[in-house]
Amino acid sequence: MGRFDNKVAIVTGASRGIGLSIADRLVADGAKVVITARKEEALAEAAKSLGDGNAVWVAGHADDEAHQDETIAKALEEFGRLDMLVNNTGINPVYGRMIDVDLGAAEKIMRVNVISAVAWAQKAYHAALKDCTQENGGGGIVNIASIGGTKPAPNLGMYGTSKAALIHVTQELALELGPDIRVNAVAPAVVKTKFAGALYEGREDAVAATYPLKRLGVPDDVGSVVAFLLSDDAAWVTGQTLVIDGGLTLTGGV
């Protein structure tokens, strides 16, 4: 028996990288998943990799309300229920000082990284998660934040601000939705994905040397922790942000 047998999850931004690793771990533990991202072809390949009958996909923009509604409806249509939500989608289209940031880009970052996470939680809750009770196993939400949301970092000001806001959203939702739905977050350091490539490509050994564990993260490092937070193994954990950083913050780095 898997710990997520008969459970259904939505994982946003899951055509590759951290999102796909999360979906893969949930499936390995017995869940059915609905994965989202922008590109249909990449999603189709990702769903195929998760095994026949384990996953369906819906393409669209994470901050589009019609896409959110369609995805939740797909989960209920295909699998008959929804127990878990992972808000993984995030963007960072700018790099540089906050004092010079384009305000249109800043607004987009906040809309995708924060407001859409709230929207997904609202829609999932009112459509299905509100029916998850402690007696029937409860429900769970995990938001993918960043260590950039725990302290300032040069040239990542708006991204870090959005992730700090997401951490606060996590705490607020945990207060509101307990005891039946637990809400937590994870805050990874640099994970080897296409999204984070600019932070390590061409100098991975030098970057990794600054971490006490002497390596960068890989998507499975995050997927396993998200699965833990959604599982009964974390039944008394809510409103927390678990840092996954190979020890980087112990050195004062971010």
Side-chain angles (χ1 to χ4, degrees), residues 2 45 50 58 65 75-76 89 105 121 129 132 136 160-161 209 217 221 224 229:
E45 286 297 316
L50 295 171
V58 182
E65 289 197 29
L76 298 177
T89 299
L129 291 183
C132 297
N136 65 22
T161 297
D221 291 322
S224 60
L229 288 172

Side-chain angles (χ1 to χ4, degrees), residues 162-186:
S162 73
K163 294 302 187 177
L166 186 58
I167 290 170
H168 191 82
V169 165
T170 299
Q171 296 170 333
E172 290 286 349
L173 290 178
L175 278 175
E176 294 180 3
L177 301 183
D180 297 314
I181 300 167
R182 295 181 301 101
V183 187
N184 292 289
V186 295

Side-chain angles (χ1 to χ4, degrees), residues 73-208:
K74 185 80 167 180
L76 298 177
E77 175 187 339
E78 292 288 333
F79 300 123
R81 60 187 294 160
L82 177 61
D83 308 274
M84 302 176 287
L85 169 67
V86 181
N87 282 310
N88 173 66
T89 299
I91 63 168
N92 184 30
V94 296
Y95 182 80
R97 301 195 307 167
M98 181 183 284
I99 198 65
D100 299 317
V101 72
D102 176 81
L103 295 182
E107 182 179 7
K108 178 70 172 178
I109 291 168
M110 296 300 290
R111 187 167 69 250
V112 173
N113 294 4
V114 184
I115 301 302
S116 75
V118 175
W120 279 102
Q122 287 181 340
K123 291 177 182 292
Y125 174 78
H126 290 294
L129 291 183
K130 61 182 175 58
D131 297 323
C132 297
T133 66
Q134 286 184 309
E135 290 72 24
N136 65 22
I141 299 173
V142 174
N143 297 318
I144 308 306
S146 166
I147 61 167
T150 65
K151 61 185 294 188
N155 298 312
L156 295 171
M158 281 312 308
Y159 178 75
T161 297
S162 73
K163 294 302 187 177
L166 186 58
I167 290 170
H168 191 82
V169 165
T170 299
Q171 296 170 333
E172 290 286 349
L173 290 178
L175 278 175
E176 294 180 3
L177 301 183
D180 297 314
I181 300 167
R182 295 181 301 101
V183 187
N184 292 289
V186 295
V190 176
V191 177
K192 293 171 63 176
T193 63
K194 185 176 181 180
F195 178 82
L199 299 176
Y200 70 89
E201 287 178 349
R203 55 193 182 95
E204 180 177 340
D205 289 346
V207 175

